[in-house]
Amino acid sequence: MPATKTLSPNLSAFLDTIAVSEIGRELLDVSDDGYNVLVGSTPAEPLLFHDYSKHPRIRNVAMNSDAAGRYQFMGRYWEPYRKQLALPDFGPKSQDLWALQLIRECKAWDLIANGHFSEAVWNCRSRWASFPAAGYGQHENKLDVLQTAYTDAGGIVTMA
């Protein structure tokens, strides 16, 4: 993960957890670590894009979505975040930086850094539909499944 090499283990693990939640471990393994995954992909039938110059904006009509990348970003948000963060492309580093910005916006950065995993997930549920209680009408993962992904990725949970 390019943008996470200088991050704390907890922040890096949280990014990995988002990816596991949004697209699953198996799909991470059959793609470019998830960075080139289109919405609707499965490990058996991965839908991948190969041009990182911009968000691909390839709509999955059945899912009514054009989410793409490791963190399943919607195309309509690409241009505002590209400008705000001066992202050169939709490559791995840019996707990581965008996800980190969303974490900041959700006021979860310090929660993650301090090991308050469940509170961080709760704060970020509005950004990632696969998080518990997100309320988008899509599959939501259970907190214990996400916490396992987090600790497997090296994250530390601090009990309050």
Side-chain angles (χ1 to χ4, degrees):
M1 253 188 240
T4 62
K5 289 184 181 185
T6 60
L7 291 178
S8 73
N10 283 1
L11 284 163
S12 180
F14 199 82
L15 288 180
D16 286 347
T17 301
I18 296 167
V20 168
S21 186
E22 287 292 310
I23 62 178
R25 290 182 200 275
E26 297 84 8
L27 199 47
L28 291 170
D29 291 339
V30 298
S31 66
D32 182 12
D33 202 24
Y35 291 104
N36 64 338
V37 171
L38 295 169
V39 69
S41 290
T42 65
E45 292 187 42
L47 305 172
L48 308 175
F49 64 93
H50 304 287
D51 178 2
Y52 284 116
S53 65
K54 62 184 188 287
H55 189 288
R57 294 191 183 199
I58 298 172
R59 180 160 296 282
N60 181 315
V61 176
M63 300 184 86
N64 192 28
S65 177
D66 68 354
R70 192 169 206 260
Y71 311 106
Q72 291 295 282
F73 295 121
M74 302 293 291
R76 68 177 171 258
Y77 300 116
W78 165 242
E79 198 57 32
Y81 280 100
R82 185 194 66 74
K83 288 179 181 175
Q84 176 187 354
L85 301 171
L87 301 175
D89 55 28
F90 192 63
K93 183 176 180 181
S94 294
Q95 289 182 43
D96 288 350
L97 292 171
W98 186 355
L100 292 169
Q101 177 61 28
L102 295 181
I103 289 168
R104 279 187 202 90
E105 290 173 10
C106 293
K107 303 199 181 339
W109 190 280
D110 288 340
L111 292 170
I112 297 163
N114 293 314
H116 302 295
F117 178 76
S118 61
E119 293 92 342
V121 169
W122 179 259
N123 279 22
C124 291
R125 73 191 187 284
S126 67
R127 299 307 195 274
W128 286 286
S130 64
F131 276 12
Y136 288 98
Q138 299 178 23
H139 171 77
E140 296 176 2
N141 290 298
K142 296 189 181 302
L143 184 62
D144 63 327
V145 170
L146 297 181
Q147 187 167 315
T148 297
Y150 177 73
T151 57
D152 286 352
I156 303 296
V157 177
T158 304
M159 299 302 162

